[in-house]
Amino acid sequence: MDFWPAFIGFIFLLLAPFIGMLVIGLDRKITARMQNRIGPPVLQPLYDVIKLFGKEDKIVNRGQVVFAYAFFVMVVLATSLFCLRSDLLVIFFLLNAGAIFMVMGAYSTRSAFSTIGANRELLQMLAYEPIFLLVIFSIGYAVKSFTIDAIYEPLILKLPLALVAMVIVLMIKMQKSPFDISTAHTEIISGTMVEYSGTYLGLLKLTHWYELFLILGTMALFVIIPGNFVLSIIAMLVLIAVVYGIVMLIDNITTRLTWDALLKVALPLGIGLITANLIYVWYIGGA
Amino acid sequence: MGAMITMSGDIGITIYPLALTTVIPLLIGLICYLLPNRYIRNVLVGIGVLSAIIGGLWLFFQLSSSGGVITLEIDRISLLGISFSLFELISALDFALLIGFLLIAWERRSYWAGLFALLQLIPLAWYEFMYMPSHADAHGSVAPVYIDYWSGIMCLIISIIGSLIVIYAIKYMEGQRNQNRFFAYMVGFLGAMNAAVFSNNLLWFFFFWEVTTLACYMLIKHEETEEALRNAKWALEVTLGGGTAMAFAIVWLGTMGTPVTSFTELLQASGTNIIPTMLILALAFISLAGLTKSAQVPFQSWLLGAMVAPTPVSALLHSSTMVKLGVYLFIRISPVFQHLPSLGYILAIIGGFSFMVTAILAISQNNAKKVLAYSTIGNLGLIILLAALHTPFSLTAAIVLTVFHAISKALLFLGVGVVQHETHSKEIENMDGLILRKPFITTVLLMGIMTMIIPPFGMFLGKYFAVQAGLEFPLIIFFIAVGSAATVVYYLKWIGRMINMETDAELTPEHMSILFSAPLVVMLSLAVIFSVLVAPVIESFINPTVKVLGFPATVSSAFYGTSVITPWGYITPVFIGLFLLAVFLVPLFAHMDRKALTKVYSCGVEYPTVIGGVYFERIMGEEKLNDYVNSLGVGLIAVLIAFGVLAITMSGVI
Amino acid sequence: MAEADGALTKISRLKSPWILHYDCSSCNGCDIEILACLTPYYDIERFGILNKGNPKHADVLMVTGSVNHRNKVVLKNLYDQIPDPKVVIVVGACGSTGGVFHNCYNVLGGVDKVIPVDVYVPGCPPKPEAIIDGVVKALEKLKALQDGTWKREKEKEKEKTEKDDAKEETEEAKKEEE
């Protein structure tokens, strides 16, 4: 393996949770400004997680702790594979496995909120997993390989609609309205995370940062210009700013959809976008 | 006994493992039928399965030393001084079987079964008694027994997984009536199934195919309840319908200009420049037979109804072996699809559609065995989809999926069987909090389900390969995407019901007979070990199979067998497996402070929480979806048959 | 616990206090004022304060209303589920002493009859500015708690009994030696 790409990958792996944290902090700050108030400092998520790590352990049963660690390990494994520019499909399935473990952790306690949250998380998976898999498939179809190494031009040239579909995945994964049925704070008190406290809640939030990094990273793949490092970084920052800005705006002006509305809106929209894009790629000879 | 068995033709040493895997189980089945004594019967059953396992392994060694293909020209057998031709023996048995089906149809007042049996009897009688004697070359000159790596792998699956299930059944059926009949059909079925995968001659294959149909009928109706009889009748009707399609196809193939009487001739004939049109029609009908056997949409109802049978039957026939016969057929004829790509694409869409639709329907099921049945149908659809895509990579994926699915699904069925045996219920609602009452079986079920959906295990690898295979025919990726998401949903819901536990509760380990726990542990170990070591497995078993079927090997292993490399990506199961192991072994060594345990949050009050499962019947239930699913399925089958019929009218290469 | 934490942990605790807001039997006047603090006009989220509905996620328990025989169980249950370190703020007159209801047959009195209280914010209802003052005082107490410069009454008693037990044991051991 070449030294420089591996070294840059390693640096990104170390920075991954911080990047996730900064994006979430900026999200809260800008949301607050949109609501005509001052809002917390940008480093607030860092303070939250460190405070959580310093709290006393209070758990319901041992199983949920094991599943929280399993979730964390799978997501960090996926992130390290991403930074090593490995197979995108494997990364997707590892993220998937992580989410599966989190749902198992939520199911393992006999709590009404937790179980409802887990049910909703499964429905959410039914909505975003096909779209995510189709986005990765369309990347593989356009590039004729699933490894990140093989991407030779900015994917946005061939796959613009796939990027839009990826925004839907981002909204569902990051629990942004109108797709936030799983941690519907006012309905089920953060659903799957209800019975976690202290260190393990901090672990879940940390894993959430890694997940955000991964999804933003997958979107950044669409604008990477191989060979030109500085221009790629600038393009990535611009893309993330634009995309997350739109997501924040939609979050603040929409309300939550019910689960069948979620399935009826998100799935056809995502699948329709990818189908159109795949037909386009096939037409211009990407096959 | 003083019998003298001589055979003519070129046989070699292979006859011994062949007999061990086919003749001995069939004979032992016959003897079991007549033996009421339990102890002798159990010993005999043990001998039968042992002979199948030894025969299977021996055969596989023979295969590796003879370059992957063994053919046997068995013509005549001399027994007690009387010599008769094996062809005639099997023909006679076949007609006896068909008359047996007519009698069953008469007894059960089943018009469809009688009609189908008649429709098989008449053309075959005409073909064998009038056509063949007057046409000298109709018999074919190809060896009737053809064993290659694919037959070898199927034989290993049948012998090893089947044997574990039969051993489990000894304990499971304890105290029930008619056990001699039950074990006769179970052990005899192993022999018949092995014989089917070794047959090259189409008539022989057809005979053993119908024997498995008979075994299926007899085993489903074993408990003789009203429901069992009804479902057995329906299963018989659907599978006999498939058999009729195959009988028509065989007669058409045998009466062509250059007759096709075996699989090797079939593959040869389809490789020519101008494919005879009757061949295309026959292939469409053979595919139809395979689809009915594997219970694809719209034929899925017989398999769902067959779940009333005792659990060992469901495990053996309806997930690991009998329904795999359809899949075996598709992979056996897969080189054909290279020359008839349209047929392949139609079958791929049928398989993919089955996969997606059964995954969605399984979400609304409360009966655990029905969930597993839907899962089986879906995975078989996925295998058929991959086989019909006829590329070397998709074929590798199909074989990998077949092997891992057999192991994992048998494991899950046996686990559900233990739950049913101990708690007398197979409903998921009654498995609420099962981890507290029965931790061992819950852990086994949990790990079994994890081998189906989580990397690095085998079934996940199959899905990984399937997505990559979709690069060559993107239409199927939609089926795979929605289907695999729905798969995760219904398995996780089930796990959720089982591991739901109260705070502070102690786990009470349960006692279980060794005849239950040993097959479960062995199968779980096989599933895990083969998954993690999948790279050497692919290099040593599956790549040779793909090559022997006529395709180049596209998947390779690297880094001393830890990585699997495909043309479009790579995965390292060992790496992922180690992380998973670490994360689950840590709790064994971690110390948990009892002071840290607290109550669940239920707004401060302490009512005992009653939690039920969700099944979404309103939008994903059977009542809502079955009409659409079945009509679309019938439409797809109509397209398949129209394809074959149009080939005749438009005579030319399609 | 207190002295072993790093500096960053101590700072983070003060910068991110999450509240659980529980209404014992209040007329909702104090609750409306607490929620008013979360509106953009007063915006206590700029101090990192989030209103979590879940005791397992919370550090600060804000209680309003007086305690009666029914909700004392609930209050104790919620208090036990909050992980250490935690502080309790009582908002309003009813929670502090029972307020106008303190002689009723069903009212036990203020919240301190059930759980140890750290800050009282009197008023009927107190203004949001007073509530914010109360939160700041609670944070100061949290700082003192984690620096080890202040302990709660109950903990002081517990420590005292532990010290006495230890003294007795060493005296007995000495007696046996002699």
Side-chain angles (χ1 to χ4, degrees), chain A residues 60-61 67 103-112 114-116 118-119, chain B residues 428-429 431-437 442 446 492-503 505 507 600 609-613:
Chain A
V60 175
N61 63 41
F67 288 126
V103 171
M104 280 205 241
Y107 267 128
S108 72
T109 59
R110 206 172 182 76
S111 156
S114 202
T115 310
I116 297 182
N119 289 336
Chain B
I428 296 183
E429 280 306 293
M431 294 192 202
D432 182 18
L434 198 63
I435 191 159
L436 291 175
R437 296 175 271 150
T442 312
L446 186 64
L492 269 187
K493 259 187 336 111
W494 184 4
I495 292 183
R497 296 303 282 137
M498 287 197 295
I499 65 175
N500 209 297
M501 41 178 186
E502 286 120 17
T503 332
L507 301 178
V600 300
T609 322
V610 177
I611 297 186

Side-chain angles (χ1 to χ4, degrees), chain A residues 57-60 66 74 86-87 93 101 104 107-108 110 115 119 122 137 141 144-147 195 259-260, chain B residues 432 460 464 470 474 492 496 499-503 568-570 580 587 596-598 600-601 609 611 616 618:
Chain A
D57 272 350
K58 275 216 188 285
I59 60 166
V60 175
V66 172
M74 287 282 126
S86 163
D87 191 326
F93 280 118
F101 283 129
M104 280 205 241
Y107 267 128
S108 72
R110 206 172 182 76
T115 310
N119 289 336
L122 283 180
F137 176 79
Y141 192 61
K144 289 195 227 3
S145 163
F146 281 107
T147 48
E195 301 300 335
W259 66 266
D260 40 350
Chain B
D432 182 18
F460 146 74
Y464 171 78
L492 269 187
I499 65 175
N500 209 297
M501 41 178 186
E502 286 120 17
T503 332
W568 302 283
Y570 57 93
L580 213 54
L597 286 174
T598 182
V600 300
Y601 176 60
T609 322
I611 297 186
F616 308 119
R618 187 165 49 90

Side-chain angles (χ1 to χ4, degrees), chain B residues 50-101:
Chain B
L50 202 61
S51 98
I53 296 179
I54 294 178
L57 289 170
W58 188 355
L59 197 62
F60 210 82
F61 280 131
Q62 286 253 281
L63 272 175
S64 353
S65 56
S66 24
V69 176
I70 301 177
T71 58
L72 295 183
E73 303 249 1
I74 301 183
D75 289 336
R76 311 192 67 83
I77 294 186
S78 299
L79 192 61
L80 297 174
I82 313 174
S83 149
F84 45 83
S85 151
L86 210 51
F87 287 95
E88 288 171 13
L89 174 67
I90 292 189
S91 291
L93 286 173
D94 195 10
F95 284 113
L97 187 61
L98 285 173
I99 296 178
F101 280 137

Side-chain angles (χ1 to χ4, degrees), chain B residues 549-622:
Chain B
L549 285 169
F551 295 90
T554 47
V555 178
S556 54
S557 79
F559 296 116
Y560 309 107
T562 56
S563 283
V564 173
I565 300 189
T566 69
W568 302 283
Y570 57 93
I571 178 173
T572 318
V574 171
F575 191 48
I576 303 174
L578 280 176
F579 273 96
L580 213 54
L581 190 68
V583 92
F584 279 103
L585 278 186
V586 162
L588 290 178
F589 303 107
H591 166 71
M592 183 49 62
D593 196 0
R594 296 297 296 184
K595 273 195 300 146
L597 286 174
T598 182
K599 307 187 181 75
V600 300
Y601 176 60
S602 51
C603 299
V605 292
E606 293 194 31
Y607 290 145
T609 322
V610 177
I611 297 186
V614 283
Y615 297 96
F616 308 119
E617 273 123 7
R618 187 165 49 90
I619 67 172
M620 296 190 224
E622 268 185 342

Side-chain angles (χ1 to χ4, degrees), chain B residues 171-382:
Chain B
K171 168 78 182 160
Y172 188 87
M173 302 295 289
E174 222 172 51
Q176 304 213 12
R177 310 172 300 145
N178 288 329
Q179 281 185 53
N180 47 339
R181 196 178 66 183
F182 181 84
F183 282 105
Y185 279 111
M186 288 285 267
V187 179
F189 165 80
L190 287 181
M193 187 82 190
N194 274 328
V197 303
F198 295 145
S199 305
N200 196 11
N201 184 302
L202 287 174
L203 280 170
W204 293 20
F205 181 73
F206 176 70
F207 168 63
F208 291 115
W209 176 285
E210 295 295 54
V211 168
T212 60
T213 304
L214 178 71
C216 174
Y217 169 77
M218 285 299 182
L219 286 169
I220 294 178
K221 85 170 193 19
H222 173 83
E223 295 188 350
E224 309 268 355
T225 62
E226 159 76 40
E227 200 189 6
L229 290 170
R230 191 168 22 102
N231 284 313
K233 187 167 97 158
W234 178 237
L236 186 67
E237 288 169 0
V238 176
T239 40
L240 268 185
T244 311
M246 178 164 276
F248 281 6
I250 292 179
V251 170
W252 283 328
L253 283 173
T255 53
M256 285 198 318
T258 36
V260 168
T261 55
S262 62
F263 280 119
T264 36
E265 286 171 340
L266 181 67
L267 294 177
Q268 267 176 342
S270 11
T272 58
N273 272 335
I274 300 183
I275 305 178
T277 56
M278 286 308 273
L279 186 69
I280 301 179
L281 182 62
L283 279 172
F285 271 69
I286 289 183
S287 311
L288 185 61
L291 290 176
T292 54
K293 196 65 148 187
S294 299
Q296 298 300 293
V297 163
F299 306 116
Q300 80 273 23
S301 47
W302 79 258
L303 191 59
L304 296 171
M307 290 296 128
V308 299
T311 310
V313 174
S314 306
L316 185 59
L317 265 66
H318 303 133
S319 64
S320 315
T321 39
M322 191 188 86
V323 290
K324 292 271 188 314
L325 201 54
V327 159
Y328 164 81
L329 181 63
F330 280 114
I331 296 187
R332 175 61 75 202
I333 63 173
S334 55
V336 159
F337 300 123
Q338 283 181 319
H339 310 286
L340 279 178
S342 324
L343 183 64
Y345 293 142
I346 297 175
L347 283 171
I349 293 180
I350 295 179
F353 181 67
S354 297
F355 178 55
M356 181 178 83
V357 154
T358 51
I360 296 178
L361 279 169
I363 296 180
S364 63
Q365 293 303 313
N366 187 13
N367 183 331
K369 283 176 73 172
K370 272 205 172 167
V371 169
L372 290 176
Y374 271 121
S375 173
T376 304
I377 300 172
N379 282 306
L380 289 175
L382 193 60

